[in-house]
Amino acid sequence: MEEKMTMDDLSEELEASYQAAEAEGAQDAEEMDPVWATLKQYLDEKTVLNVKIGGVVNGGVIAYVEGVRGFIPASRLALEHVEDLNEWLNKKIRVRAITVDPDKKRLVLSAREILRDEARSEARQKQKEAFAQTNVGDVMDGTVETLKEYGAFVRLENGLSGLVHVSQISDKRVVSPDKVLKEGQPVKVKVIAIKDGKLSLSMKALLEKAEDQEDHEHYTMPKSENISTNLGSLLANLKL
């Protein structure tokens, strides 16, 4: 008569299978070539490796890591398109392993991820420095990047980007930003607010300032000494 398996028996069987699987995995790791085990570790830890390009092949270049031939695709050499692979021969570059396949003896390397991370870090640092040097009231040249229903995003000369709200485009009512602005158009703006790492810009503020200056020039009062002189001249010519 077949015995029924209890829950305890099932748990013990599952535990035994887990232990067997772990032992098999450990055995595979021990049996793996030490060199490929090291390469696998480089992959898992995203280790930056210094290599020298030792050959040019179809679609990329060759570099050796721990004595293993690694392939670097042309698209992974730089951030920009690489025209001539021969110019990279014997150059020393930094790469990461992106594919490690011991069974197929396949090692693929890449420099692009490192360069991309560094470019992003540098851009963030420059942006941080630019923000630190930007103050409310600054007037800058910029270029319209994107037009939205609610306003225009402007790229400033210092590399920062800010929003000109539709209400700040003109001293006249603007129904839609694309009616008065176009992408790529150069503009001059004033920083009217900085909050939470964002810039609020205004074109309207500069129009109002220009009008104030024009009114001031048009209605300039005469100097007091000129008034006195003119009054004296009138009294001198007055016959009593």
Side-chain angles (χ1 to χ4, degrees):
M1 182 177 180
E2 184 179 356
E3 296 183 0
K4 292 184 179 180
M5 181 177 289
T6 66
M7 290 300 297
D8 290 339
D9 293 335
L10 179 61
S11 297
E12 289 178 2
E13 185 173 318
L14 288 174
E15 180 64 25
S17 64
Y18 290 151
Q19 291 178 356
E22 289 178 358
E24 183 179 353
Q27 184 177 0
D28 290 342
E30 290 176 358
E31 292 176 354
M32 183 184 294
D33 186 305
V35 173
W36 283 97
T38 299
L39 295 175
K40 183 67 167 60
Q41 184 177 357
Y42 290 159
L43 172 68
D44 295 338
E45 297 178 359
K46 297 182 178 180
T47 304
V48 176
L49 307 167
N50 294 300
V51 299
K52 181 179 180 180
I53 295 175
V56 175
V57 294
N58 186 30
V61 296
I62 297 300
Y64 287 83
V65 179
E66 303 293 343
V68 176
R69 182 178 184 269
F71 175 65
I72 309 173
S75 61
R76 299 276 184 169
L77 270 174
L79 294 176
E80 66 279 357
H81 176 68
V82 175
E83 293 288 346
D84 187 2
L85 289 174
N86 290 304
E87 294 180 354
W88 290 77
L89 192 60
N90 295 321
K91 277 190 175 182
K92 293 181 179 180
I93 63 173
R94 292 167 301 143
V95 297
R96 287 179 186 162
I98 58 173
T99 300
V100 176
D101 190 338
D103 295 331
K104 296 181 180 180
K105 303 299 181 184
R106 186 166 179 260
L107 172 64
V108 182
L109 309 170
S110 174
R112 190 177 65 183
E113 284 73 14
I114 298 173
L115 297 173
R116 185 174 57 195
D117 290 346
E118 290 177 346
R120 288 174 177 172
S121 178
E122 183 179 353
R124 285 193 295 268
Q125 182 60 31
K126 286 184 177 179
Q127 185 180 54
K128 184 178 179 180
E129 292 173 357
F131 261 110
Q133 297 172 3
T134 301
N135 301 294
V136 173
D138 288 349
V139 176
M140 301 186 199
D141 292 321
T143 303
V144 177
E145 278 189 312
T146 310
L147 294 173
K148 302 291 184 180
E149 293 181 0
Y150 51 84
F153 285 95
V154 174
R155 174 70 63 178
L156 301 176
E157 56 190 88
N158 61 3
L160 298 179
S161 183
L163 173 67
V164 180
H165 189 266
V166 64
S167 64
Q168 293 296 322
I169 292 177
S170 174
D171 52 358
K172 299 179 178 60
R173 184 173 181 270
V174 175
V175 177
S176 179
D178 60 6
K179 299 297 182 182
V180 293
L181 295 172
K182 60 182 181 180
E183 293 181 2
Q185 178 180 338
V187 293
K188 190 177 288 290
V189 296
K190 181 178 181 179
V191 180
I192 57 174
I194 302 176
K195 185 178 180 181
D196 299 330
K198 297 180 181 179
L199 300 180
S200 294
L201 311 173
S202 175
M203 297 167 62
K204 176 182 175 181
L206 297 179
L207 295 174
E208 294 173 344
K209 181 179 179 181
E211 289 178 358
D212 290 343
Q213 288 179 340
E214 185 178 336
D215 292 342
H216 179 72
E217 292 173 358
H218 184 72
Y219 295 106
T220 300
M221 292 293 291
K223 295 181 179 179
S224 58
E225 56 266 26
N226 292 338
I227 297 175
S228 300
T229 302
N230 292 337
L231 183 58
S233 299
L234 290 172
L235 291 175
N237 295 327
L238 183 63
K239 295 181 180 180
L240 299 176

